[in-house]
Amino acid sequence: MNRALALAAVLLLVGCSQPSFLEQYATIDLLIENGQVIDGQGGEPFMADIVIVDDEIVFIGDAAFSAADREERIDRSIDANGRVVAPGFIDLHSHGDPLATPALENFLAMGVTTITLGQDGSSPDVADLGTWLGEVGENGIGTNLAMFVGHGTLRDQAGIGRTAVPDREDLGRMLAMLDETLDVTFGMSTGLEYNPGLNAEREELEALAIVVGEHDRMIMSHMRNEDDDQIEASIAELLEQGRHARVHIAHLKSVYGKGSERAEEILAILDSARDSGIEITAEMYPYNASYTGIAIVFPVWAKTREQFDVAKVERREELEEYLRNRVNRRNGPEATLLGTDPYTGKTLAELAHETETPFEDVLIDEMGPDGASGAYFVMNDELQSRLLRDANVGVCSDGSPTGFHPRGHGTFARIIERFVVGEAVLTLPAAVAKMTSFAADVLGIADRGRLVEGMKADIIIFDPARVHETASYPDPLQFAEGFDVVIVNGRVAREDGTLTEVTHGRVLGPGG
Ligand SMILES: [Zn+2]
């Protein structure tokens, strides 16, 4: 073929390409026009239209529909008008009960289209997780769901409970249950700072990791101890399991560690593990306060009510001293903000002052380990910002529709508002990539997290300058603002602050 002919052939192909993609579809369900597309893969934004048929992105580019096509074949079009069009965010560590609050509007309002549940070693205590997931799907769910099975739950169900070393039979039963459940879950979560998971020792964790690895699933770990002087040991313990399966650090933090150099030391451990062939990733929430049950400050020998009742009588002095030291090391009683009635909104220091008793006595005589939950201001902004910049650290809310910490309603808005627009810790494409393709890759979700033809249409439209976190510590259950349109599986799920009546999320299957 001579050059002129070749050129003519190319022109012909280009000329034909647009009608041909359109001809495949009688109806275009949704057209998003004039968007500044950030595709989730880290590259620069580009202007393009996105064409959606059913739940799939079928075209990205200049759609240039004729007036007749618009009239006859396009069901709905949205003019993005220069706003950012990005993949919906994937929350790597979330909480909630989708049967109780199926809308999950707190997540949708901050641009999240997929959540992960079954975290921290705890999944629903049901005979068959697959059946439960079926019910969730039938009941309807606002976001997509990637499910994990909890190690602590398996331990309880296998009859091991708080025993340190399970006997052979119980261990075998737990491994068989894990083996079966991994068919419907993305992996196993551990909660080694909580009962009953904290009782597990190395051999048990290794045996579990082998089963997880055989299924090519992952271990999401709330590690044994997040204190600055314990974090290396906790990571080392997880890396042992990483010899058998992909491993992931949930809500990476250093409790009372300080400075960006300390963050770099922690990141260097993860880098060198990756260099040695271990697949390890992490995620974090962008706040300097954690949130969990007050048991977190109690010693392992007084974490349950049963243990505590004994310790209170037999080891009172030792318990007082432990609590005094631990709370003081965690920035003191003024850094513990309670979120459970009747204490809601008060710090532990305020309670101690009101009752004129030392705070350790308030913890022992008023609350006990199961008496309250709270926010703990134990993290350092500089250290956490440095962690956030790392390419192998993603984002999670660790929040729920009802949790009394702003992260459950604010996290993903805060990343854009504070860490992209405000402090420029991250560029917008890098932040979006973290919250989309990175998270999809961690979970092994192949068809979401990127705006690419052929992917599922989980899409958000927003102007970064208008994204705003309205949740705060005293008033944490406030929806984020600025994510104007949130599309789940090709359907508009929330638009201009209004939730669509029908839910459009799905229970996702692992390994695809
Ligand atoms: Zn956790």
Side-chain angles (χ1 to χ4, degrees):
M1 209 187 310
N2 70 34
R3 188 176 288 188
L5 255 177
L7 186 65
V10 166
L11 285 173
L12 196 66
L13 276 171
V14 169
C16 287
S17 72
Q18 269 159 19
S20 72
F21 100 80
L22 184 59
E23 275 160 18
Q24 294 176 45
Y25 309 103
T27 309
I28 302 301
D29 292 302
L30 184 58
L31 165 68
I32 302 170
E33 297 178 280
N34 308 316
Q36 202 185 136
V37 175
I38 294 184
D39 68 7
Q41 306 184 97
E44 286 305 306
F46 55 94
M47 293 299 292
D49 308 319
I50 296 184
V51 179
I52 296 159
V53 173
D54 193 16
D55 63 353
E56 193 180 312
I57 298 169
V58 299
F59 178 81
I60 299 177
D62 183 359
F65 287 106
S66 68
D69 276 334
R70 284 181 168 279
E71 190 69 19
E72 290 158 26
R73 301 168 86 171
I74 298 175
D75 227 33
R76 182 171 176 199
S77 63
I78 295 174
D79 188 357
N81 198 14
R83 286 175 293 177
V84 169
V85 178
F89 301 141
I90 298 173
D91 188 342
L92 283 166
H93 187 104
S94 355
H95 295 281
D97 176 357
L99 291 173
T101 52
L104 301 169
E105 190 173 5
N106 62 307
F107 292 109
L108 291 172
M110 58 177 165
V112 171
T113 53
T114 298
I115 64 167
T116 50
L117 294 175
Q119 301 283 4
D120 297 320
S122 175
S123 50
D125 182 17
V126 292
D128 186 331
L129 206 50
T131 305
W132 182 85
L133 286 167
E135 282 169 30
V136 168
E138 260 171 51
N139 189 52
I141 179 166
T143 66
N144 300 309
L145 168 61
M147 192 68 197
F148 283 78
V149 60
H151 162 236
T153 304
L154 288 173
R155 230 176 182 265
D156 281 339
Q157 292 183 335
I160 300 164
R162 285 192 275 116
T163 307
V165 181
D167 64 37
R168 188 173 282 274
E169 201 179 307
D170 289 347
L171 179 64
R173 191 177 314 123
M174 177 165 65
L175 295 176
M177 289 164 72
L178 173 63
D179 185 66
E180 200 175 305
T181 312
L182 286 173
D183 288 339
V184 295
T185 55
F186 285 73
M188 180 185 75
S189 76
T190 60
L192 300 183
E193 202 166 20
Y194 300 121
N195 268 307
L198 63 82
N199 301 286
E201 295 178 5
R202 182 183 165 168
E203 273 182 30
E204 173 185 337
L205 294 171
E206 183 172 14
L208 291 158
I210 288 169
V211 175
V212 173
E214 281 168 359
H215 285 260
D216 192 24
R217 300 285 191 263
M218 61 179 298
I219 296 171
M220 281 269 188
S221 184
H222 176 136
M223 299 188 299
R224 198 170 289 273
N225 191 317
E226 297 171 332
D227 290 0
D228 196 56
D229 60 350
Q230 297 293 316
I231 187 140
E232 271 105 341
S234 298
I235 293 172
E237 183 179 37
L238 183 59
L239 290 175
E240 288 280 329
Q241 295 148 61
R243 288 164 45 227
H244 306 289
R246 287 179 284 131
V247 290
H248 180 90
I249 302 173
H251 43 61
L252 177 62
K253 67 173 82 72
S254 164
V255 172
Y256 62 76
K258 288 185 175 58
S260 60
E261 276 170 30
R262 181 63 183 134
E264 274 160 23
E265 286 170 12
I266 295 165
L267 293 168
I269 296 169
L270 305 183
D271 283 340
S272 85
R274 272 187 289 270
D275 287 346
S276 75
I278 292 174
E279 289 186 69
I280 183 162
T281 48
E283 105 272 312
M284 58 182 284
Y285 51 83
Y287 297 84
N288 57 17
S290 60
Y291 186 87
T292 193
I294 196 83
I296 198 88
V297 302
F298 283 72
V300 284
W301 41 270
K303 274 197 192 293
T304 66
R305 175 56 60 172
E306 204 182 358
Q307 292 169 322
F308 169 72
D309 286 342
V310 176
K312 191 175 166 178
V313 178
E314 292 177 5
R315 299 169 79 172
R316 171 99 196 187
E317 232 169 280
E318 201 184 339
L319 183 57
E320 283 175 9
E321 193 188 337
Y322 183 96
L323 290 169
R324 191 161 52 239
N325 290 338
R326 181 144 166 92
V327 171
N328 280 331
R329 215 159 43 146
R330 293 164 62 90
N331 296 333
E334 35 297 293
T336 298
L337 177 65
L338 297 155
T340 307
D341 286 336
Y343 319 115
T344 303
K346 286 182 186 164
T347 67
L348 183 57
E350 285 168 342
L351 271 179
H353 184 76
E354 275 176 21
T355 53
E356 294 178 17
T357 33
F359 69 80
E360 57 271 29
D361 290 336
V362 174
L363 289 171
I364 295 170
D365 299 320
E366 283 277 323
M367 283 174 212
D370 53 358
S373 287
Y376 309 85
F377 292 80
V378 292
M379 286 173 264
N380 171 258
D381 285 334
E382 204 186 335
L383 188 155
Q384 294 298 117
S385 284
R386 180 62 192 87
L387 293 179
L388 184 63
R389 265 171 43 211
D390 189 82
N392 288 294
V393 176
V395 174
C396 71
S397 72
D398 199 0
S400 77
T402 54
F404 209 79
H405 185 301
R407 67 192 184 192
H409 287 64
T411 290
F412 290 82
R414 185 178 178 89
I415 292 287
I416 305 289
E417 183 180 11
R418 175 165 172 184
F419 294 93
V420 174
V421 177
E423 298 174 9
V425 171
L426 296 167
T427 65
L428 184 58
V432 169
K434 247 180 211 305
M435 302 188 282
T436 57
S437 65
F438 172 80
D441 292 347
V442 165
L443 295 167
I445 299 175
D447 57 356
R448 297 173 197 270
R450 291 171 168 83
L451 294 188
V452 173
E453 290 169 16
M455 302 290 271
K456 296 294 179 197
D458 293 339
I459 299 176
I460 55 179
I461 303 176
F462 64 98
D463 171 1
R466 282 196 293 106
V467 168
H468 181 47
E469 175 191 30
T470 63
S472 62
Y473 288 97
D475 200 7
L477 305 181
Q478 301 302 315
F479 294 134
E481 292 171 357
F483 294 100
D484 301 333
V485 185
V486 180
I487 294 162
V488 178
N489 291 308
R491 268 73 175 182
V492 173
R494 195 172 187 272
E495 189 170 15
D496 300 327
T498 303
L499 198 64
T500 310
E501 261 173 55
V502 184
T503 55
H504 298 297
R506 287 182 196 158
V507 173
L508 304 182

